[in-house]
Amino acid sequence: MRERDGVKEVVKEAVKRLTATEESEGATAEEINEEIEKILGRRLSKGAIYTAIRELEESGEIERVTVLRPYKYRIAKKSESEEKEERGEEKEEEEKKEAKEEEREEDLSAYIPKTDGKYIPRKIGKTTDIEILKRCYEEGINVLLVGATGTGKTHAARHLAYELQVPYMRVNCNGAITPEDLIGQYIPDGSGGFRWCDGVLTKFVRHGGIFVLDEINAAPAEILFVLHSLLDDERKIVLTQKDGEVVKASDKFMFIATMNPAEEAIYEGTKEINAALKDRFGVVLYYDYDERIERKIIKSEYVREVLKALRKSEEIETPISTRTGIEYEKAIELFGIETANEMFIARFRKEEREIVRETLTMIYSKYDGNGEKEEEEREEE
């Protein structure tokens, strides 16, 4: 700042202090210099004072309020347009403040699961997967669930959210997902400007809940990159596209990722996640097809035997999930065995369908029309 500008600023500050009340009739140059002495500890020369006063008058920052000497001055009253502009700026600041309040208080209750399909916890050692996941939620531990399709990985995460009654969000790592979808971006505000909108991951990091990134080993590199600082000990997201805001993870935030086994060729587009990322998951659980659970979910012995036989076949690569069995059983109830078989066979690759058809025919020959084993078969067993 130039010396003259500095003088003008201190003169203007002195005038402001002396004429702050409505009752004030203004301040003379001498009174202004006395006030400057209180501010700076010294007086200014008369030439400097008068030069600053003249320039402030010319710029409209102060105004003369007397016509006779000694002249008195005060801070210039704002024009109607200036006052309107100032009110607009105040309103804008207030709106920004309210927006920040909304960010802090955003209600995610709509994401809390209100219902949940039947989930049977799987035994892991002396406890269950759900009990392990509950402890991980309490301790803020990142969890990786690995297993073939239809083994109940995402159902386990949703069931956890249902039991805890906390917000739940599942995002699939398909080709359409972008870092902006997760972190956030500026969007039109409807009045010609733009406003920042948190992405779905940022919302959960900020406010808490269980966030599931499905099929993480199919995610593009730019998605994995944004996860590193969130999944390490810092547990934070930096909104670089906004203003560099650092969003620390809520104590009620839990990150779960799922993945299909990368070593199995049937899952196209998947790959092994790198060691650095995998190391950020404190708990890894493996989900396989569990016959004990399937006996409780799938009542038809015939359907369970079909699943078992096809899984053993070296010629079948299509995943035979528990979900597939549930849907096959339901199709039999709704449409009858012949139609259900055709629907079931259509799930497989063209080169597998004949093998599946032969397997169904062979197994069904042991059962009566209701899907119950013939008496002779039972006696032999």
Side-chain angles (χ1 to χ4, degrees), residues 99-100 102-103 106 179-189 193-200 202-203 206 237-245 247:
K100 285 192 174 182
E102 286 175 7
E103 282 182 355
E106 185 164 355
E180 289 76 19
D181 294 326
L182 296 179
I183 303 303
Q185 59 191 314
Y186 280 100
I187 62 173
D189 62 5
F194 291 85
R195 67 178 180 84
W196 176 262
C197 180
D198 279 348
V200 63
T202 302
K203 285 181 182 180
R206 198 188 293 276
I237 285 179
V238 181
L239 306 182
T240 53
Q241 291 188 25
K242 185 186 179 189
D243 52 10
E245 179 189 357
V247 183

Side-chain angles (χ1 to χ4, degrees), residues 320-368:
I320 317 294
S321 69
T322 302
R323 182 168 55 237
T324 299
I326 293 170
E327 291 169 356
Y328 182 33
E329 181 180 52
K330 188 174 182 179
I332 293 172
E333 293 174 2
L334 292 175
F335 307 109
I337 187 67
E338 291 183 3
T339 302
N341 280 351
E342 294 303 320
M343 295 166 68
F344 182 73
I345 291 167
R347 291 174 175 270
F348 294 82
R349 298 179 181 181
K350 186 176 180 179
E351 60 271 22
E352 297 172 335
R353 291 172 188 167
E354 192 55 40
I355 300 165
V356 174
R357 189 181 298 279
E358 290 173 2
T359 303
L360 295 181
T361 301
M362 180 188 68
I363 295 174
Y364 194 69
S365 66
K366 305 176 188 177
Y367 291 79
D368 62 22

Side-chain angles (χ1 to χ4, degrees), residues 275-336:
L277 182 59
K278 194 169 186 178
D279 190 54
R280 285 169 162 78
F281 291 95
V283 169
V284 179
L285 299 179
Y286 188 82
Y287 282 64
D288 203 352
Y289 300 120
D290 190 324
E291 291 185 13
R292 179 189 66 85
I293 291 175
E294 288 183 347
R295 281 196 298 272
K296 294 182 179 180
I297 298 175
I298 302 172
K299 302 304 180 184
S300 170
E301 188 178 357
Y302 160 71
V303 171
R304 295 200 304 270
E305 192 170 340
V306 168
L307 301 186
K308 187 175 181 179
L310 292 176
R311 285 170 186 162
K312 286 182 178 179
S313 173
E314 295 180 357
E315 299 173 274
I316 302 294
E317 291 187 349
T318 299
I320 317 294
S321 69
T322 302
R323 182 168 55 237
T324 299
I326 293 170
E327 291 169 356
Y328 182 33
E329 181 180 52
K330 188 174 182 179
I332 293 172
E333 293 174 2
L334 292 175
F335 307 109

Side-chain angles (χ1 to χ4, degrees), residues 49-314:
I49 286 284
Y50 285 121
T51 299
I53 287 174
R54 186 180 70 252
E55 291 181 355
L56 288 169
E57 266 195 286
E58 290 173 353
S59 64
E61 295 174 73
I62 66 173
E63 60 185 3
R64 191 185 302 180
V65 293
T66 59
V67 293
L68 300 175
R69 294 179 185 275
Y71 298 129
K72 292 186 177 184
Y73 304 88
R74 68 183 179 196
I75 295 294
K77 289 184 177 180
K78 293 183 177 66
S79 67
E80 188 176 335
S81 61
E82 288 174 326
E83 288 183 350
K84 188 175 181 181
E85 184 179 345
E86 190 173 275
R87 286 196 300 272
E89 288 174 356
E90 289 175 357
K91 185 179 179 183
E92 186 178 345
E93 285 300 316
E94 189 64 31
E95 286 174 351
K96 285 181 180 178
K97 186 177 178 182
E98 288 175 0
K100 285 192 174 182
E101 289 295 326
E102 286 175 7
E103 282 182 355
R104 285 195 289 270
E105 299 172 5
E106 185 164 355
D107 184 9
L108 297 183
S109 61
Y111 295 99
I112 299 173
K114 302 299 186 290
T115 59
D116 186 57
K118 184 178 182 182
Y119 182 79
I120 299 174
R122 57 182 62 220
K123 286 189 176 181
I124 300 177
K126 293 184 178 180
T127 185
T128 67
D129 58 338
I130 296 299
E131 291 305 313
I132 292 171
L133 292 175
K134 282 181 180 178
R135 190 61 188 271
C136 291
Y137 174 80
E138 293 166 1
E139 300 295 328
I141 297 173
N142 307 317
V143 178
L144 177 63
L145 306 181
V146 184
T149 183
T151 50
K153 303 184 294 295
T154 53
H155 192 180
R158 190 180 189 282
H159 183 75
L160 173 68
Y162 175 72
E163 283 209 354
L164 297 176
Q165 280 298 282
V166 297
Y168 166 84
M169 173 59 66
R170 170 191 171 194
V171 174
N172 191 284
C173 288
N174 55 41
I177 191 75
T178 67
E180 289 76 19
D181 294 326
L182 296 179
I183 303 303
Q185 59 191 314
Y186 280 100
I187 62 173
D189 62 5
S191 59
F194 291 85
R195 67 178 180 84
W196 176 262
C197 180
D198 279 348
V200 63
L201 176 58
T202 302
K203 285 181 182 180
F204 272 68
V205 171
R206 198 188 293 276
H207 304 291
I210 296 173
F211 184 89
V212 178
L213 194 62
D214 206 11
E215 299 182 32
I216 189 173
N217 56 333
E222 58 268 25
I223 295 294
L224 299 179
F225 179 77
V226 304
L227 298 178
H228 280 260
S229 62
L230 175 62
L231 300 184
D232 64 20
D233 293 338
E234 295 182 359
R235 282 172 61 82
K236 68 180 184 182
I237 285 179
V238 181
L239 306 182
T240 53
Q241 291 188 25
K242 185 186 179 189
D243 52 10
E245 179 189 357
V246 176
V247 183
K248 289 277 189 180
S250 162
D251 292 339
K252 297 177 181 178
F253 171 74
M254 181 182 187
F255 186 91
I256 298 177
T258 74
M259 60 178 277
N260 300 126
E263 65 272 13
E264 296 184 19
I266 55 175
Y267 299 108
E268 294 180 10
T270 61
K271 53 189 177 294
E272 193 64 60
I273 62 174
N274 66 59
L277 182 59
K278 194 169 186 178
D279 190 54
R280 285 169 162 78
F281 291 95
V283 169
V284 179
L285 299 179
Y286 188 82
Y287 282 64
D288 203 352
Y289 300 120
D290 190 324
E291 291 185 13
R292 179 189 66 85
I293 291 175
E294 288 183 347
R295 281 196 298 272
K296 294 182 179 180
I297 298 175
I298 302 172
K299 302 304 180 184
S300 170
E301 188 178 357
Y302 160 71
V303 171
R304 295 200 304 270
E305 192 170 340
V306 168
L307 301 186
K308 187 175 181 179
L310 292 176
R311 285 170 186 162
K312 286 182 178 179
S313 173
E314 295 180 357

